[in-house]
Amino acid sequence: MITTYTSYTMISRDLNKSLARVAEQPDVARETEYYLSKIGDIKSVDDFMADSRIYNYALKAHGLEDMAYAKAFIRKVLTEGVDAKNAFANQLSDSRYSSLVKSLNFSAYGEAATAFDAAQKGVVDKFQRQTLEEDAGSENMGVRLALYFERLAPTVKSGMEILADDALSQVVRTAFQMPDEIMAADIDRQAEFIEDVLDIKDLQDPAKVGKFLERFTAMWELENPTDTYDPVKLFSPSSSGISTDLLISINNLKLGGK
């Protein structure tokens, strides 16, 4: 039986080759060809929402496919952009929404938004990486978590950012076997504990991230010998930071039916 760490390193060691294999999958190649052939014609949020294949491709690329049904919600995210401090995406703790805006920044660039590399090759690269991680998770959720952590690690600046992401926090909690009393403590205490046991600066060093993930994968196998972990618990997009009433009102808008 191949260990979680071995499976992770087989993918990570030659990431370009792993991604190339994903790109060659018929369904991925088909949707990518469509996306690249059409995205330049998308000139507005309305255009984006109207083409379901473009819409679904971009959302999956950013790990937001589970929110595809919430069209009014996604419309509000894209319409308000990220430049204003009180923009909708900036009120959400899940950074995937602001990442979507930065890829398709209609608020800042209008009709030219899709002409930029971020909206074209950038989204394709994200889609292929997301697919790679999901495919790995279908075999071993620990591998998906390790690949996800490896990708996000250089962007992490604090223990609080780790706690704001269920998947990142699961990796850290597993690796360091966080005591029950810490996990039951308030969020600030949990963040302090993470920063005590994990030097955040080390996340900028690929070699140190690799050593950390070796530790994580070993502990993951001890805790999850049958690997039946539900990915919904870890990777579903979060809308925290917005009240439930506001979420309901947004998703009841007539725009949600578009």
Side-chain angles (χ1 to χ4, degrees):
M1 177 179 170
I2 299 176
T3 67
T4 300
Y5 182 69
T6 299
S7 296
Y8 156 69
T9 55
M10 286 173 63
I11 296 171
S12 180
R13 186 168 50 235
D14 195 341
L15 191 57
N16 288 336
K17 186 177 291 186
S18 298
L19 289 167
R21 285 195 294 269
V22 168
E24 292 169 357
Q25 294 175 14
D27 56 336
V28 174
R30 182 173 58 251
E31 292 308 306
T32 296
E33 181 181 11
Y34 181 86
Y35 181 85
L36 289 174
S37 70
K38 299 292 186 181
I39 189 60
D41 298 328
I42 302 294
K43 303 298 183 183
S44 66
V45 175
D46 283 342
D47 290 347
F48 174 72
M49 307 296 291
D51 190 319
S52 61
R53 288 175 72 180
I54 293 288
Y55 174 80
N56 289 328
Y57 188 98
L59 261 62
K60 176 173 178 175
H62 293 83
L64 294 170
E65 61 184 322
D66 288 345
M67 289 295 288
Y69 74 93
K71 289 194 170 184
F73 185 94
I74 298 300
R75 180 184 291 276
K76 186 172 178 63
V77 166
L78 288 170
T79 300
E80 295 192 14
V82 291
D83 290 342
K85 185 176 181 180
N86 64 345
F88 188 53
N90 291 335
Q91 298 178 57
L92 297 163
S93 62
D94 193 325
S95 63
R96 286 175 285 192
Y97 297 104
S98 59
S99 178
L100 176 67
V101 173
K102 291 170 185 175
S103 293
L104 299 163
N105 203 338
F106 295 105
S107 175
Y109 303 118
E111 293 186 358
T114 58
F116 293 99
D117 188 64
Q120 298 193 23
K121 185 178 184 298
V123 171
V124 169
D125 289 346
K126 287 180 170 65
F127 183 91
Q128 292 171 353
R129 177 64 188 245
Q130 183 71 23
T131 303
L132 173 69
E133 293 175 12
E134 290 180 6
D135 287 352
S138 68
E139 299 290 332
N140 186 325
M141 184 53 60
V143 177
R144 180 177 179 180
L145 283 164
L147 289 167
Y148 181 82
F149 190 93
E150 177 188 59
R151 172 163 59 90
L152 273 290
T155 71
V156 174
K157 301 295 187 292
S158 68
M160 194 65 75
E161 287 185 22
I162 290 173
L163 289 171
D165 185 310
D166 289 340
L168 293 180
S169 61
Q170 181 65 53
V171 172
V172 173
R173 286 168 174 161
T174 300
F176 292 109
Q177 296 291 282
M178 285 177 64
D180 290 342
E181 59 268 25
I182 294 296
M183 294 177 68
D186 64 61
I187 197 76
D188 290 330
R189 179 68 190 95
Q190 291 185 54
E192 288 174 5
F193 179 86
I194 288 173
E195 292 180 7
D196 284 343
V197 296
L198 176 65
D199 189 338
I200 300 298
K201 295 193 298 296
D202 286 350
L203 300 181
Q204 303 297 316
D205 185 334
K208 291 180 178 179
V209 171
K211 290 297 292 181
F212 170 77
L213 289 175
E214 185 174 3
R215 173 179 182 148
F216 158 71
T217 52
M219 299 310 300
W220 175 265
E221 288 199 341
L222 287 175
E223 289 190 359
N224 301 275
T226 58
D227 196 43
T228 57
Y229 211 91
D230 184 358
V232 173
K233 296 179 181 178
L234 299 174
F235 293 100
S236 292
S238 168
S239 54
S240 59
I242 298 296
S243 71
T244 301
D245 288 344
L246 179 54
L247 286 173
I248 292 172
S249 66
I250 290 170
N251 283 315
N252 283 340
L253 291 174
K254 290 181 180 179
L255 290 174
K258 286 193 176 183

